[in-house]
Amino acid sequence: MKNPLILFCILSMVSLAAEAQDSVRIRQNLPDSTRQFRDTTGFRNDTARKNRGFSDLFSDSAKLNSSDYQLAIERSYVALDNIDSKSELGLGVKLIIEHQTDNDSVLAVLKDNVLNNAGALNLRNLQVFRTLLLNIQRETREHRELLDSTENRLNGLRNNLSKLRADSVLRQVQRDSALRLQFSQQLKDMRVNWRSSTKHLRESIATINLLQTKNSSHSITASQLLEKVNTLLDTSASRIFGKEYNYLWERDTSHLDASERSSFSKAYDGERKAIRYYFKDSGNKRLFLLLIGFVFFLWMYRNIRKLKKLNSLHVLQDLDFSYLPSGYIVSAFIIMFSIAPLFDLHAPSAYIESMQFLLLIILSIICWKKWPRRLFWNWMVMVVLYILFSLMHHAVDPGFGIRLWLIVLNVLSVVFGWMFLLRMKDNLQLKGFLRFVIILHNVMNVLSILFNIWGRFSLAQILGTAAIFSFTQAIGLAVFSRIAMEAILLQIVTSRVKRGVTSQFEHEHVLSGFRKPLLFLVVVLWVIVFTTNLNIYTSVLNGLTEFLDHSRSIGNASFTIGGVLLFFMIIWIAHLLQKYVGYFFGDTGGDDEVHNKSQRSRLLIARLILLCLGYLLAVAASGVPVDKITIVLGALGVGIGLGLQNIVNNFVSGIILIFDRPLQIGDSVEVGDKTGRVREIGLRSSTLMTPDGAEVIIPNGDILGQQIVNYTLSNNQIRLEMELSVSGSKDMEVVSSAIRDAIRSSRFIFENREPQILFTKVNENGYDVKAYFWCADVFKSEEAKSDVLILLHQQLNQKNLSID
């Protein structure tokens, strides 16, 4: 083993020596310009020098001057200003601070009542508390999103501050005494700005952390209280159907001591504070309602002012106006308070009652002069009953006297409700709806009396209150619908007068299209108020929402009932708008309006746009995936190719007619063997009104597929021809001049074109002639012929000429 190892060492030393000699020989043969870059200290030193070369290459070897330092200081100063300004907490965070202060107080009240005073809470108190807790939960979720986004923004500013602290140029300025002396003032200002920015940022982060902690605490407290309130609601709902008190004919043995009365007073006080907090928190919704009322007021004021300016208020006398235009100010409040439930679907019953009470006051004002005296005083009795039933909410100890008083109110409500039904006659709209509500009102009062006698006082109280509230709300909604219809009619009349059309029109036919949508809105508003007063609104809304939002699937496609209903509702609204949008511009489809072809064409394009936007919005709102729509469109394309060719042809032809305009609404045309005036151009078919009054419906594909003769495409003139036999003179010039002068004197003649007189036959005492003249309006051609014939007979007789 030793001999091979010694041999290996000897060979290695020989090879190293030979390599060293070769390297020396190579260096000696290199030129001087190249040799000076070689390192003679060995391989390790050469490698070190190579590394230093790369380091020098990628390093900033330029020496910084004063301008560079000044620029770096300015950038840092701007960055600090930016950090300081963005550290400011916005208005949203400040509002959160206010809301959290309010939430602290209201949660303390709710916690005290729910945990320590649960036995004194009735169903109404619990519903108010539940609504308030749900609102607080919604607020905490919104606050959490805003606080988290603000925290992320502040953390980003803190990272920017850390990067600024690690700036090498600023560090160099701080280390160099000469530089510190040169930029002393700038560094001093930047140091002050640094302290301000860091302090401000630190305070903002601390505030956000504190708000997040408090927000989490409020969320947990609200969840715990809501769970407790839901449990109490379940037990209260089952309790009110049980026997709470003795039968009415039995001796009353229920008496509250001082502590129990204090508990009920405490519960009432807690409800009052909760309602006050809700009113404070929902101020933006009431501002929005005020905005709607103000817009309605401006709308009515503008139309009435326009009619006064045109001296056309007399046009309204023959129309069926009851509340407008004289009461447009009060009507704005009725519109505002009637639709209030739509803008706050989770409002407590006390909020709904307050809006309804204001509505009753406004109704009493506007109906003072509009209703017959007996009907109005009957209404005032119902308003008083409304107030008395409202006071029954605060009955703490329902003894015999209070229970008997509730029965008296029930009886009075039934009697005067029935009298109101008999007296309203033609003074109110929606008679069928009102008849149903009044009958329901009477039935609920009868049930209230029975439950009161059987000892179910809470249930009797709820039924009686809900009955009178639903009655007054229904009357208010009937007046609301009447005002809405009159507002639409006023807009139509004003638009017609602005266009110079003052003739009467069939307004009942025009308004009939708006009745069903208004009835639907009225029923929705009434159901909201009715279920709220029955204390079942929240349960019904949650159940309906869960049913509509529950995901269902057919095969691989998933959908919700709510999405499907929303899809069809948007399409229905789009069709409704495109059908009736012309009414708001005074276009009622009458014969006296079709001459304004440009406006009718613009309305037609507006209808098409509304329809297309409605379908696009319906597809987007339904939540149907785009790939599923593609599959449906593919299948629909196959169906179109097989069986819907004519429908698609007519649809596309309708679009071509709308934009290419070979004919427009109001044109006098001949299409095939049909002659008449274009009454309507639809997406599938168009309508011609013949001279004898018949309406001919022609598919749009047939219109484009054959020759169209349009008498009014570029103008309304038409050339008319009359054949005459004139006797009494052999002078052709006299005959021609007499006929020409007679034609010119007609008021139907287009003056810019001269009549033409052609002689066709010479008779014994005269001539046979053809007279060609232009009528200014193609729609009055028959009147023009008649007028010219009368003028010829009169003026030729004066010149001793006669027409045979």
Side-chain angles (χ1 to χ4, degrees), residues 713-732:
L713 180 62
S714 58
N715 57 68
N716 284 345
Q717 298 109 41
I718 184 173
R719 194 181 75 158
L720 302 178
E721 174 187 350
M722 294 183 66
E723 295 184 359
L724 306 171
S725 179
V726 182
S727 60
S729 176
K730 299 293 289 183
D731 190 342
M732 298 177 63

Side-chain angles (χ1 to χ4, degrees), residues 115-135:
L115 299 181
N116 304 325
N117 197 33
L121 300 178
N122 56 26
L123 191 61
R124 175 188 170 90
N125 303 141
L126 294 173
Q127 288 285 1
V128 172
F129 291 172
R130 186 178 189 276
T131 301
L132 205 57
L133 289 171
L134 289 174
N135 288 336

Side-chain angles (χ1 to χ4, degrees), residues 14 56 64 71 95 106 135 139 270 296 304-305 317 362 376 394 458 474 477 482 554 610 731 764 782:
V14 171
D56 294 338
L64 298 178
L71 183 61
L95 291 177
V106 73
N135 288 336
E139 279 188 359
F296 182 85
I304 296 170
R305 185 170 177 269
Q317 295 177 357
I362 300 299
F376 176 77
H394 311 304
S458 297
L477 290 174
R482 180 68 181 180
I554 298 179
L610 280 174
D731 190 342
E764 181 179 353
E782 298 298 327

